[in-house]
């Protein structure tokens, strides 16, 4: 099969590798499209080991079941999407085939294109870990009856796009930030008010809008000035900020909680950071995949914009350089496997 493999020097290249064989408790998926995340290039840069297959987010078709997979759980021919722990092992999403846990994928309705569905995995999983696993807020399937305020910092980011929607569907009153060019987009996703992330007065404006009572925030960037900005937005009594990169708030009464999608397998994580495994994270992930399947079936989500690069997997290194340059705004880079040229 054609796949994108790490070279060991922080880069990757298109190679041929054998099609993986599913273990008894795994499924084999023919990948139709895959999407790029910041964790892909960062993991490649940190983990300079050759031979790993790149990529986490995927969408495709189940083509075989391991001998122990219950037939009522997954079916051959089923359209699915999700994420795998690519970049640090020889099973990644930037490949023609991958193996994965049958309980850690969600079902795609027939009207959702694979190219669009490929964006969902990491963003939706991180959103669920933030809102439900960490903050323990109500879910879209059992929404709150009394709205609670929440701040989603960077509502136009890949994760923010879904965090705003999930929070709104969960019955929360959502405040968010973006560039002014994306205000209308973030409002359309469910944000009550959207503020300019670059405005030095934004934290004070959010304090005023929430009556200085904001207790919950999700920092979808967790870098640069956002630790100060998000902390400054929380009320006098403090609260909790969910982060995607580790940091500690300097504001009294404010605690930070780090999430990592790789933790959803319930096993110890060594890269991109060390994290002790928690079996409850696996059980939560199984529940989240069922919930996302139901939400898709009910047409509850608005999909983000995608940018399909030409030449499929042969364009991955170009896509990584494009992402590292900071040129991506409110869109997801996607690769269509069928666009990949044959290797000579």
């Amino acid at each position: 099969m054609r796949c994108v493999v790490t070279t060991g020097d922080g880069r990757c290249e298109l190679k041929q590798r054998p099609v993986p064989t599913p273990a008894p408790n795994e499924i084999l998926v023919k990948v139709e499209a895959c999407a790029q995340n910041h964790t892909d290039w960062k993991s490649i840069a940190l983990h300079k080991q050759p031979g790993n297959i790149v990529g986490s987010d995927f969408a495709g078709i189940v083509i075989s079941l391991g001998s122990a997979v219950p037939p009522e759980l997954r079916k051959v021919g089923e359209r699915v999407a999700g994420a795998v722990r690519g970049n640090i092992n020889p099973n990644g999403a930037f490949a023609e085939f991958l193996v994965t846990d049958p309980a850690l994928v969600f079902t795609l309705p027939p009207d959702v294109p694979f190219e669009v569905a490929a964006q969902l995995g990491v963003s939706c999983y991180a959103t669920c870990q933030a809102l439900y696993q960490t903050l323990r807020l109500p879910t879209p399937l059992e929404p709150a009856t009394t709205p609670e305020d929440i701040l989603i910092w960077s509502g136009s980011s890949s994760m923010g796009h879904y965090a705003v929607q999930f929070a709104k569907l969960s019955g929360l009153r959502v405040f968010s930030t973006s560039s002014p060019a994306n205000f209308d987009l973030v409002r359309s996703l469910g944000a009550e008010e959207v503020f300019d992330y670059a405005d030095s007065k934004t934290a004070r404006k959010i304090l005023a809008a929430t009556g200085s009572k904001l207790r919950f925030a999700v920092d979808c960037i967790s870098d640069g000035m956002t630790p100060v900005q998000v902390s400054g937005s929380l009320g006098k009594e403090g609260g909790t900020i969910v982060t995607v990169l580790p940091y500690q708030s300097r504001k009294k009464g404010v605690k930070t909680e780090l999430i990592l999608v790789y933790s959803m397998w319930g096993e110890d994580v060594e890269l991109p950071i060390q994290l002790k495994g928690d079996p409850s994270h696996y059980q939560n992930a199984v529940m989240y995949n069922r919930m996302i399947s139901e939400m898709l079936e009910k047409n509850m989500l608005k999909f983000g914009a995608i940018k399909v690069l030409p030449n499929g997997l042969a364009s991955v290194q170009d896509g990584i350089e494009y992402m590292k340059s900071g040129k991506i705004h409110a869109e997801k880079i996607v690769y269509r496997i069928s666009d990949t040229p044959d290797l000579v």
Side-chain angles (χ1 to χ4, degrees):
M1 69 174 184
R2 294 164 296 178
C3 56
V4 178
V5 178
T6 56
T7 57
D9 60 357
R11 294 179 62 83
C12 56
E13 60 185 358
L14 189 61
K15 289 284 190 180
Q16 284 279 2
R17 289 290 185 269
V19 174
T21 300
N25 59 345
E26 292 179 328
I27 56 175
L28 178 64
V29 176
K30 180 181 184 293
V31 181
E32 297 291 341
C34 50
Q36 187 171 294
N37 294 283
H38 284 285
T39 188
D40 296 329
W41 71 263
K42 290 180 179 179
S43 295
I44 295 170
L46 288 171
H47 190 52
K48 291 185 170 65
Q49 178 181 336
N52 293 327
I53 297 179
V54 180
S56 301
D57 278 338
F58 71 91
I61 301 170
V62 178
I63 61 169
S64 70
L65 310 179
S67 58
V69 177
E72 64 272 15
L73 179 58
R74 292 289 165 229
K75 294 178 174 57
V76 171
E78 185 176 357
R79 306 171 82 250
V80 296
V84 292
R85 290 173 286 186
N87 312 306
I88 59 174
N89 64 65
N91 184 53
F94 293 178
E96 291 186 89
F97 301 91
L98 59 80
V99 292
T100 192
D101 187 317
L104 298 186
V105 295
F106 44 89
T107 304
L108 297 177
D111 61 339
V112 178
F114 290 116
E115 295 85 354
V116 172
Q119 70 182 274
L120 295 171
V122 168
S123 294
C124 288
Y125 293 150
T127 290
C128 290
Q129 286 185 338
L131 299 179
Y132 314 125
Q133 182 169 282
T134 305
L135 297 178
R136 301 186 180 278
L137 295 167
T139 72
L141 302 183
E142 295 182 1
T145 54
T146 303
E148 174 85 47
D149 288 349
I150 189 168
L151 169 64
I152 307 295
W153 192 276
S154 189
S156 61
S157 64
S158 295
M159 178 185 173
H161 182 95
Y162 290 98
V164 169
Q165 292 185 75
F166 275 69
K168 177 65 174 179
L169 291 167
S170 297
L172 308 178
R173 192 168 72 133
V174 183
F175 297 86
S176 191
T177 63
S178 74
S179 66
N182 289 315
F183 279 3
D184 288 344
L185 167 65
V186 180
R187 288 193 191 100
S188 74
L189 300 175
E192 180 133 333
E193 293 189 51
V194 188
F195 302 88
D196 185 352
Y197 74 93
D199 183 351
S200 62
K201 298 179 181 178
T202 283
R204 277 182 282 172
K205 291 178 180 178
I206 294 172
L207 272 174
T210 57
S212 296
K213 294 180 180 179
L214 182 66
R215 298 189 298 141
F216 301 123
V218 179
D219 185 349
C220 299
I221 303 298
S222 305
D223 197 14
M225 287 300 296
T226 69
V228 173
Q229 293 168 306
V230 179
S231 296
S233 302
L234 267 64
K236 297 176 182 178
E237 302 300 318
T240 302
I241 303 171
V242 179
T243 71
V244 296
L245 294 172
Y247 71 79
Q248 297 296 320
S249 174
R250 296 182 179 180
K251 184 171 180 176
K252 184 179 179 180
V254 175
K255 68 175 182 176
T256 55
E257 296 279 358
L258 175 70
I259 57 166
L260 188 67
V261 169
Y262 282 10
S263 77
M264 75 181 197
W265 281 266
E267 301 168 350
D268 291 350
V269 177
E270 296 297 326
L271 288 166
I273 62 172
Q274 289 188 334
L275 197 67
K276 185 69 176 174
D278 185 339
S280 70
H281 287 200
Y282 176 80
Q283 296 302 324
N284 289 341
V286 171
M287 179 177 63
Y288 301 149
N289 277 281
R290 290 173 182 161
M291 180 175 71
I292 295 167
S293 295
E294 185 171 344
M295 293 172 70
L296 289 170
E297 183 181 10
K298 294 179 177 179
N299 196 29
M300 296 172 69
L301 294 174
K302 297 178 181 178
F303 303 116
I306 61 172
K307 183 182 183 71
V308 180
L309 294 195
N311 301 317
L313 297 176
S315 296
V316 168
Q317 187 61 55
D318 292 338
I320 287 174
E321 297 303 323
Y322 181 74
M323 177 173 273
K324 289 166 68 175
S325 73
K327 295 178 181 178
I328 295 178
H329 300 288
E331 64 182 1
K332 192 88 164 180
I333 292 178
V334 171
Y335 306 99
R336 189 184 294 113
I337 306 301
S338 61
D339 292 341
T340 308
D342 291 330
L343 289 173
V344 179

